[in-house]
Amino acid sequence: MKIVRIEDLHCDAGWRDFSFLKITTDDGIVGWSEYNESYGSAGLTAVIRRLAKSLIGMDPRPIERITSTYYAVTRQAPGGINQQAMAAIENALLDVKAKALGVPVYALFGGPVRDRLPLYWSHCGSYRLRNAAMMGLEPVRSLDDVVKLGKHVKESGFKALKTNIFRFDLDPPSMHQPGFARGPGHPELNADRATLAAITDCLAAFRQGAGPGMGIHLDTNFNFKTEGYIKVARACEPYDLSWLEIDSYDPEGLRLIRDRAPMPVASCESLFGRRQFRPYFENRSVDVAIIDVPWNGLVESLKIAAMADAYEINCAPHNFYGHISTLMSAHLCAAMPNFSIMEIDIDDVPWKDDLVTHPPTIANGELIVPTRPGWGADVNEDVIKAHPPRNPHP
């Protein structure tokens, strides 16, 4: 078996693009992966193309050999876009290998450990603040809307949701995102009284609508510094969070937050590889480690999860992309013993399901682990072409 063609495909996904890597072999097997350039990774496609050129004519199946070579040739610039490019290639090769063997990807790693994956409805209300029209959904413009949405999530069978920080005191209402230089509060990232009030008001509204049985997760991203995260954690105590999600590149600072937070702390979604995760485990900085499969690759993700298991830490995937990414993350969850819960975006563009041959099956707030070979779905290229990308990928 030899690789004969490597292509990247892109399509409009509303407020961002979805990107896919396609690897074709001489016997007609096609492997897919999903990656994303829309969140700080501009130029990723160019890096993928440059790295992937060397694969033409090679056997796609010795994946560890291929990735070890990539790690060596990028050793002087580790992580970042290089790692995302290697992950996109690795994940597509895994799809090829599993299809060649006629098995799901998780079977290559001893799975499945489980057949159903508990989900949380991610970005609950977040996309409805500014993108409701393109999704064909009711907008969220007030705390009353949040109450209604919480009730809707519960009635949809979900047992858990994750939301962000909404500022209904601003005109127009918006997400609080100074950590990404969006809106007021950048670059100082202080947790002022108005922001803390916005957090507690919204959590109270979600709790009212979703009820006491709903697992509520709050994602604070990079929007504060250590002092501010401690203030947020204390303010959230009455609302019984399943976890407070924090992005921080300081494992010791995160440990300080965790020591003072009255709820579990989840983090690490922006990290690359075992070397970056290790100090967070050694410092006992997190209760739940979040792993991004499109960024790390499934092989490396499972190695990270195995390392976390040695520290009695469970893991959850970072998954706010399209359906191929969801399936890739599902195979991680199906293969690792120390699984916590899986993220999924429910609110999205109307054509999202049409982009793949077999969208994920969700029942009663759980994803049914696919049993088809490879990831369990292919990309519908005709639908991709019908929705040209928002940004050029020359």
Side-chain angles (χ1 to χ4, degrees):
M1 183 189 298
K2 305 295 182 185
I3 296 171
V4 296
R5 190 164 56 255
I6 302 175
E7 305 163 83
D8 50 271
L9 292 81
H10 313 270
C11 72
D12 177 20
W15 52 97
R16 75 291 203 207
D17 288 342
F18 287 154
S19 296
F20 306 94
L21 187 64
K22 177 185 180 183
I23 295 181
T24 305
T25 68
D26 56 356
D27 53 2
I29 295 177
V30 174
W32 293 98
S33 68
E34 182 177 345
Y35 64 98
N36 198 283
E37 286 192 294
S38 298
Y39 299 95
S41 300
L44 175 55
T45 293
V47 179
I48 291 172
R49 291 173 183 170
R50 184 163 184 170
L51 287 175
K53 285 191 301 184
S54 64
L55 293 180
I56 299 298
M58 290 181 59
D59 186 336
R61 292 169 291 187
I63 297 170
E64 193 73 56
R65 180 197 306 166
I66 292 168
T67 56
S68 294
T69 302
Y70 281 147
Y71 279 114
V73 301
T74 61
R75 194 181 302 278
Q76 291 170 296
I81 292 180
N82 276 334
Q83 176 57 50
Q84 292 180 53
M86 291 187 287
I89 295 167
E90 173 188 297
N91 288 329
L93 293 175
L94 285 169
D95 195 33
V96 168
K97 184 169 186 174
K99 286 174 176 174
L101 294 171
V103 299
V105 171
Y106 56 70
L108 303 177
F109 303 96
V113 178
R114 54 193 64 82
D115 300 316
R116 301 173 72 95
L117 308 173
L119 299 168
Y120 66 82
W121 180 316
S122 194
H123 298 98
C124 193
S126 308
Y127 299 147
R128 297 190 184 206
L129 279 174
R130 61 184 184 273
N131 300 311
M134 69 176 65
M135 296 188 296
L137 299 172
E138 293 185 10
V140 168
R141 289 287 181 265
S142 68
L143 291 171
D144 288 340
D145 293 335
V146 172
V147 174
K148 288 171 57 179
L149 180 56
K151 182 179 180 182
H152 173 64
V153 172
K154 179 181 178 181
E155 292 173 346
S156 298
F158 281 79
K159 310 293 190 301
L161 64 84
K162 187 172 80 178
T163 192
N164 300 90
I165 301 171
F166 302 161
R167 295 297 300 267
F168 294 116
D169 56 322
L170 302 180
D171 186 18
S174 61
M175 284 176 58
H176 181 73
Q177 295 183 300
F180 301 114
R182 302 172 193 158
H186 169 80
E188 53 275 4
L189 307 182
N190 290 319
D192 57 33
R193 292 184 183 276
T195 303
L196 294 174
I199 292 170
T200 56
D201 287 349
C202 192
L203 290 177
F206 267 120
R207 182 59 72 200
Q208 178 184 341
M214 180 67 64
I216 296 180
H217 307 68
L218 177 65
D219 189 353
T220 57
N221 300 114
F222 287 99
N223 292 321
F224 306 100
K225 297 181 180 178
T226 301
E227 172 206 20
Y229 287 120
I230 292 171
K231 289 181 178 179
V232 170
R234 289 171 173 165
C236 292
E237 183 173 8
Y239 304 102
D240 190 23
L241 295 186
S242 295
W243 76 42
L244 178 65
E245 189 168 327
I246 295 168
D247 292 321
S248 173
Y249 292 126
D250 179 6
E252 293 181 356
L254 191 58
R255 169 61 192 266
L256 179 64
I257 299 165
R258 181 178 177 238
D259 285 346
R260 299 186 181 185
M263 72 285 292
V265 169
S267 188
C268 302
E269 69 180 32
S270 297
L271 302 184
F272 295 99
R274 285 159 286 165
R275 288 175 177 84
Q276 289 193 8
F277 276 79
R278 183 173 64 184
Y280 290 82
F281 299 159
E282 291 177 341
N283 280 282
R284 307 287 177 174
S285 303
V286 297
D287 295 284
V288 179
I290 303 175
I291 306 171
D292 192 302
V293 178
W295 278 24
N296 284 283
L298 181 64
V299 176
E300 182 65 19
S301 296
L302 284 165
K303 293 175 182 178
I304 294 166
M307 178 184 287
D309 203 21
Y311 291 87
E312 303 295 335
I313 295 171
N314 281 355
C315 299
H318 182 224
N319 175 53
F320 75 126
Y321 309 105
H323 283 326
I324 294 295
S325 170
T326 291
L327 292 169
M328 286 159 37
S329 296
H331 284 259
L332 169 67
C333 299
M336 63 177 173
N338 52 324
F339 165 65
S340 175
I341 191 169
M342 180 170 167
E343 178 176 24
I344 193 167
D345 276 347
I346 299 300
D347 291 344
D348 220 312
V349 292
W351 57 90
K352 184 177 182 178
D353 285 356
D354 298 331
L355 294 173
V356 296
T357 55
H358 299 90
T361 300
I362 298 173
N364 198 32
E366 296 179 323
L367 188 148
I368 310 302
V369 173
T371 57
R372 291 176 293 275
W375 299 125
D378 293 320
V379 172
N380 278 326
E381 296 186 52
D382 290 341
V383 180
I384 294 283
K385 294 174 184 177
H387 298 277
R390 297 162 55 87
N391 300 300
H393 300 268

